[in-house]
Amino acid sequence: MLEVGTLLSGINPQSASRVFESAHEAISEMPQPLKDDFLQRLVKKLVQVNLIEKAFEYSLELENEVKRNDSLILVLNSYVNEGNLRNAHRVVEYIQNEPWRSLALFSILKEHLKRGELGTALGLLSQFRSDYWLGEAVKSVAVYLKKSDNLDSAVYEKVFQFMASLSSDVSNDVLKSFLVGLAVQGEIKFVSESLKRIPREQWDEIISAIVSSIIDRGELVTEFLDSLPEDAKILAVGYVLDILLERPPSSEYLELVRKIGSFASSERIKVKAVRYLSKLHDYEGAWNLASSISDPHLRSLAFGSIAIEKLKEGDIDGAIDAALEVKDPRWGSWLLSEILAKIAELQASGQVVEDIEERAEKQKRLWADE
């Protein structure tokens, strides 16, 4: 009956409707779960032949939560596609479970943006309860703002204030997604200025998300770092180096890491920069930066990184020279003994384990207990 109704829909719509009604009557007499299986198939056929209102009516009869919500989303998207947002909003009222409700709101929000109805789209954001779909919605708003040539920073400011005014349980995620979206679109100046008005305790999460989103675009990373106040810049460069050190080294980031090393006031940041430069075999840059580190423990880590990379290349003399640059007797002696142990590793297995930092922390705790 479902197939007959579908075929008739293009020839005799009235006859098709009667066949679908007969199919519905038969399905209503079926036991579960067969009833829901066929009822969902009926809804799909009705949507296919554009009998949306009937599809909506039958969707509400589904007892299975997943099937009901999936069917309602199908109906809602049909209304959105034909531009009937009034009915789409009506369907949302019957979708109470997540992530379906937020997915439905996202579909409606995109259509409002397509029509240029920014205010209405923004009004929907506070109704999202799924973090994922909220993030996608805010990114869509950011993309819309970027693509709208007639918009300026005043509009961004208005949107920022609106998002900051949302209830606290969604405000943080909304602001983060909004600023990440703008950063990806290249609006670095506005993003940096906005950070200054966000509570300090939110910086770590937001800056980390921004860096993760733009790390593959070196020019944006550089612009972002240059635009930040000093305390935010320290956080940002730390995240940049952490991400880079987790990846295979790439010469694409050589100048960026050199720049970070040149302006970094934190010696811990300098150690990370030395590690990356060493991995790129920029030994001159790494050596000069390591030489500027005064803390004995951190200096041993920096020159230890250089020594490890030199050992990997079979340059034992260079590794020992690096170890001898740690002038503190205690840490210098420790590092030299570690390098000698690494030489033994190299000769035994042909590999060198990069665990200098971990072993140094253990040694530091050991000395603290003495």
Side-chain angles (χ1 to χ4, degrees), residues 242-290:
D242 285 343
I243 293 173
L244 293 183
L245 286 169
E246 290 175 356
R247 300 178 170 188
S250 170
S251 58
E252 174 188 351
Y253 297 99
L254 176 60
E255 292 305 320
L256 173 62
V257 176
R258 282 177 176 172
K259 183 174 182 179
I260 289 174
S262 68
F263 68 66
S265 57
S266 165
E267 293 197 336
R268 289 195 174 275
I269 295 295
K270 288 183 178 181
V271 170
K272 291 180 180 181
V274 169
R275 285 181 60 194
Y276 199 78
L277 293 177
S278 298
K279 289 178 178 296
L280 290 177
H281 300 160
D282 177 21
Y283 293 123
E284 182 179 353
W287 198 285
N288 291 336
L289 186 56

Side-chain angles (χ1 to χ4, degrees), residues 53 56 79 85-94 108:
E53 197 62 29
F56 178 35
Y79 281 135
L85 288 186
R86 182 175 181 178
N87 278 344
H89 279 282
R90 181 163 61 96
V91 175
V92 172
E93 298 307 311
Y94 292 89
I108 294 174

Side-chain angles (χ1 to χ4, degrees), residues 58-69:
Y58 294 156
S59 293
L60 298 177
E61 296 179 12
L62 284 157
E63 295 179 18
N64 181 279
E65 177 185 293
V66 174
K67 286 184 168 62
R68 183 176 64 254
N69 286 312

Side-chain angles (χ1 to χ4, degrees), residues 31-87:
Q32 291 289 16
L34 199 60
K35 178 181 176 180
D36 273 2
D37 288 341
F38 273 98
L39 195 55
Q40 186 178 36
R41 289 171 63 181
L42 172 58
V43 169
K44 290 179 179 178
K45 292 295 184 183
L46 290 170
V47 168
Q48 181 181 331
V49 301
N50 207 34
L51 293 172
I52 312 300
E53 197 62 29
K54 272 295 180 183
F56 178 35
E57 177 186 334
Y58 294 156
S59 293
L60 298 177
E61 296 179 12
L62 284 157
E63 295 179 18
N64 181 279
E65 177 185 293
V66 174
K67 286 184 168 62
R68 183 176 64 254
N69 286 312
D70 283 347
S71 297
L72 287 171
I73 289 292
L74 192 64
V75 170
L76 179 139
N77 286 336
S78 297
Y79 281 135
V80 170
N81 290 337
E82 65 181 27
N84 192 338
L85 288 186
R86 182 175 181 178
N87 278 344

Side-chain angles (χ1 to χ4, degrees), residues 117-129:
E117 298 166 350
L118 178 60
T120 305
L122 292 176
L124 293 174
L125 291 177
S126 60
Q127 300 180 44
F128 282 76
R129 292 295 177 266

